[in-house]
Structures are given as C-alpha cells and as structure tokens.
Amino acid sequence: MRVVVLTGAGISAESGLPTFRDADGLWEGHDPMTVATPEAYDADPDLVQRFYDERRAALARVGPNAAHRALARLEQHLGDDLHLVTQNVDDLHERGGSEQVHHLHGRLGAAWCTACDARHAWSTTLADRPPCPACGAPALRPDVVWFGEVPHGTELVEQAPLDCDLFVAIGTSGLVYPAAAYVHYAIGCGADTLELNLEVPRVSDFSRSRRGRATDTVPAWVE
Ligand code: BV8
C-alpha cells in the first residue's frame, strides 16, 4: 500500500505556528503572500529577511504536536511505502520523528548563498547580512521557495511517488500550485484520496474528508 501524504501549515497550527491564511494572517501589516516573493526581496531585502528571522525564532520556541508524531509512527510502519511531502518550511515533522521529509517549499533552517550557491544549516538571523561560511560574501537568503520560484524537487513529486494507492492531504487550503494539483495526479493514477482539515469544503476533489483538528484527526487516521 503506497501512501503519499501532503501537509500544509494547518498541521503545525496547534504547535503555535500561524498558518498563511489565518484570519489575522498579516505580518507587520503585510500579506505573507506579498512578502514571500523575489520581487519583495529585491525591493526591500531587510523586510523580507526580518519576516523569516522572526519565523525562524518562533520555530525555535515551539515543538511538534501529536499529528507530526503520528506521521512518524506511520513512517516506521510503512517505510519506503510512505512518501511525506510538506509545503511547510518548519522542521516539526523531523522533530516529531519523521526521517524522510520532502520539503517542496524549502526550509526555514537553511540559508542559501546567492553568490556561490552553497546551502548551510541556519538557526540565527540573516537580516544582519552575515558572511557566507563558504565564500564569505554577504549574500545569504532564506532557503525557501518564494512565489514565482520553482519548488524543490517538484519533478520527483509529480512522477513516481504520486503513483500511489492513497493520497492524503493534511492541513492545507489547496490554493498553492503545483502542490494543489497533486490530488488530481493521484486520482489520475487511480488512488483513493482523503482530506484531513479543520474546515472541509462542501465540494471537494477528495473522495473522503474528515473535519477536525490535526492533533485529533491524524492520530485517529494513522491508528
Ligand atoms: C511555481 C515558502 C512554476 C515560503 C510557499 C494563478 C493560478 C494558479 C497558480 C498560480 C497563479 N499565479 C501564480 C501561480 C503559481 C503560484 C501559486 O500557486 N500561487 C497561488 C497563490 C495562486 N505558485 C508558485 O509560484 C510556485 N512555483 O509555480 O513555479 C513551476 C511549477 C512546477 C514546475 C516548474 C515550475 C511556488 C509556490 C511556493 C510558495 N512558497 N512557502 C514561506 O513559507 O514563507 S507557499 C506557502 O503557502 C507555504 O508553504 C504554505 O504551506 C503554502 C500553502 O498554504 P497552506 O499550507 O495550505 O496554508 P494555508 O494557511 O493556506 O491553509 C491552512 C489550512 O490548514 C487551511 O485549510 C485550514 O483550514 C487548515 N487548518 C488550520 N488549522 C488547522 C487546520 N487543519 C487541521 N488542523 C488544524 N488545527
């Protein structure tokens, strides 16, 4: 039984990390969607760096929840037959025990040097323009995929791993592509589909939906 799980910001909400589209989902008066772009970074690099510095600091203050831990148990049970893809840039899946996590949109805990292309684990700030450990240039940016940029390893997700028996989306509004299209790839491969979300739309692409908080619905589904 090959299972693909796609997670979004909703699985980390109960850990204390705001989702992208929370009711009050603004940051310093900015819509996150307008800050997470190369254009915003070019226009005001300090503002964008501060946006990610604050999220990196917030992440260090929270921990994984029961939903993250349940998916780690599922990985122990299914092994390579589970493919976990996350849109989230937090490391709560890893801290919850998952070992194979595909970060489609990159990671808050990494910095990318635009001068020498090196990537480094990064847990502190970037707004103060620290030198790249590899080349020394003050050219480090968050290693995340902004709107308009190509997701990491998207070709991997769109081929073999989506030829699955069951596709499960957890805590995602399904608004961001190409991740939002993955359920259609899975349906095209004849997979069963399940959505676990706090709100479940009246009309859904998924064959089954369960409404509720991820810390309730994910452990119940995994067990
Ligand atoms: C690309 C990293 C080409 C940065 C992120 C017009 C139409 C269609 C598409 C486009 C278009 N114009 C432009 C596009 C493409 C664009 C896109 O999709 N735009 C959308 C907004 C229209 N996409 C891109 O630009 C992507 N790149 O397309 O390149 C390409 C493609 C393929 C191959 C080659 C080239 C790049 C997109 C990546 C952007 N970066 N993040 C950062 O994090 O700062 S996206 C960002 O949104 C986060 O990763 C986040 O995870 C993601 C999606 O949001 P969700 O995770 O779903 O979070 P959200 O807040 O929306 O929803 C939370 C859900 O949880 C809700 O449903 C809620 O009910 C639920 N929930 C809340 N609490 C709980 C809960 N569920 C359970 N329990 C709870 N307690």
Side-chain angles (χ1 to χ4, degrees):
M1 169 85 153
R2 285 179 52 75
V3 179
V4 171
V5 173
L6 171 70
T7 63
I11 198 169
S12 297
E14 291 161 85
S15 289
L17 295 182
T19 67
F20 261 67
R21 290 161 192 85
D22 268 342
D24 57 352
L26 287 182
W27 177 81
E28 289 192 0
H30 296 275
D31 174 354
M33 308 280 277
T34 62
V35 178
T37 66
E39 295 75 19
Y41 185 64
D42 292 342
D44 189 343
D46 286 349
L47 176 103
V48 175
Q49 293 282 26
R50 282 202 322 274
F51 174 58
Y52 287 95
D53 286 353
E54 288 206 7
R55 287 172 65 194
R56 199 173 298 112
L59 179 54
R61 295 192 294 266
V62 301
N65 62 50
H68 298 106
R69 289 191 289 272
L71 291 181
R73 290 196 298 275
L74 184 64
E75 181 186 64
Q76 285 166 356
H77 179 64
L78 291 179
D80 291 343
D81 282 336
L82 171 68
H83 194 78
L84 175 58
V85 183
T86 187
Q87 300 171 91
N88 299 340
V89 294
D90 65 55
D91 61 350
L92 296 180
H93 281 301
E94 291 86 347
R95 288 161 60 192
S98 291
E99 294 179 5
Q100 299 293 327
V101 184
H102 181 124
H103 281 273
L104 199 61
H105 296 162
R107 294 179 301 123
L108 260 184
W112 175 24
C113 179
T114 55
C116 71
D117 206 31
R119 283 174 161 85
H120 308 283
W122 207 265
S123 58
T124 57
T125 57
L126 290 172
D128 45 353
R129 297 175 63 76
C132 165
C135 73
L140 294 172
R141 59 162 273 190
D143 188 15
V144 298
V145 177
W146 284 326
F147 289 100
E149 295 186 324
V150 179
H152 289 181
T154 187
E155 69 287 348
L156 300 176
V157 189
E158 287 169 5
Q159 286 151 17
L162 278 185
D163 183 4
C164 61
D165 304 297
L166 174 63
F167 177 82
V168 185
I170 302 171
T172 178
S173 60
L175 295 174
V176 175
Y177 289 80
Y182 291 162
V183 61
H184 304 301
Y185 284 112
I187 292 167
C189 296
D192 184 14
T193 56
L194 168 65
E195 179 180 29
L196 305 180
N197 196 305
L198 194 60
E199 294 130 20
V200 172
R202 273 185 311 103
V203 178
S204 169
D205 298 318
F206 291 81
S207 52
R208 289 178 290 139
S209 295
R210 284 190 202 146
R211 179 199 300 266
R213 297 183 314 168
T215 53
D216 294 329
T217 57
V218 180
W221 167 64
V222 167
E223 300 336 321

